[in-house]
Amino acid sequence: MNAKDLKYFKNRLLSEKKLLEEELATVGRKDPANPKDWQATVDDSQVDNADENEVADVLEEYEEHKAILAQLETQLNEVQAALEKIEKGTYGICEISGEEIEKERLEANPSARTSVKHMRK
């Protein structure tokens, strides 16, 4: 992959990383003990703990945030791994075959780890 393409994909990945971090911040916060990990949060400051319905609503919101957070965190980890590969000079190489990943595949998913041929394995 040439330098122009690498720069292009790095910029796309950095933009995606920023967007994912912004979305993660709406449903969670970084774990102070492990900054690479996120924890789901909810605003329970206005909840009357004596009202079972309000408590149930907060628990439901927490579970929704937890599910969303898991998906976004997985995507963020994939983007970060792709950025690390750019720095190491291994970006765009299929992890299974060692061959170059198709440019069309990287256009569709810049953090792709495998070629189209191996994407389901």
Side-chain angles (χ1 to χ4, degrees):
M1 183 173 296
N2 64 44
K4 182 180 175 184
D5 287 341
L6 277 175
K7 183 177 180 181
Y8 168 77
F9 285 115
K10 183 176 183 176
N11 287 335
R12 288 217 25 219
L13 288 162
L14 288 171
S15 295
E16 186 175 349
K17 179 182 176 187
K18 182 180 180 209
L19 178 63
L20 287 166
E21 288 174 337
E22 289 171 357
E23 289 181 36
L24 279 162
T26 67
V27 294
R29 66 180 174 89
K30 285 187 178 183
D31 181 349
N34 181 4
K36 291 185 177 185
D37 194 24
W38 289 75
Q39 298 174 331
T41 59
V42 292
D43 180 18
D44 60 356
S45 61
Q46 303 296 320
V47 175
D48 178 3
N49 287 334
D51 186 339
E52 291 178 10
N53 289 329
E54 285 186 22
V55 172
D57 288 345
V58 168
L59 288 174
E60 183 178 346
E61 181 180 3
Y62 174 77
E63 289 300 321
E64 288 174 5
H65 284 193
K66 196 171 161 184
I68 293 167
L69 189 132
Q71 182 179 7
L72 292 173
E73 192 172 18
T74 298
Q75 289 175 305
L76 178 62
N77 289 336
E78 290 174 1
V79 167
Q80 288 174 323
L83 288 167
E84 289 172 12
K85 286 181 178 186
I86 288 174
E87 297 306 315
K88 292 177 184 175
T90 59
Y91 178 77
I93 305 298
C94 178
E95 292 180 358
I96 295 174
S97 69
E99 297 173 355
E100 195 168 304
I101 298 173
E102 302 85 355
K103 193 170 182 179
E104 296 81 20
R105 171 120 165 91
L106 293 172
E107 278 290 340
N109 178 9
S111 59
R113 298 171 32 208
T114 60
S115 64
V116 172
K117 180 179 175 182
H118 297 107
M119 66 190 250
R120 288 178 177 59
K121 291 184 180 183

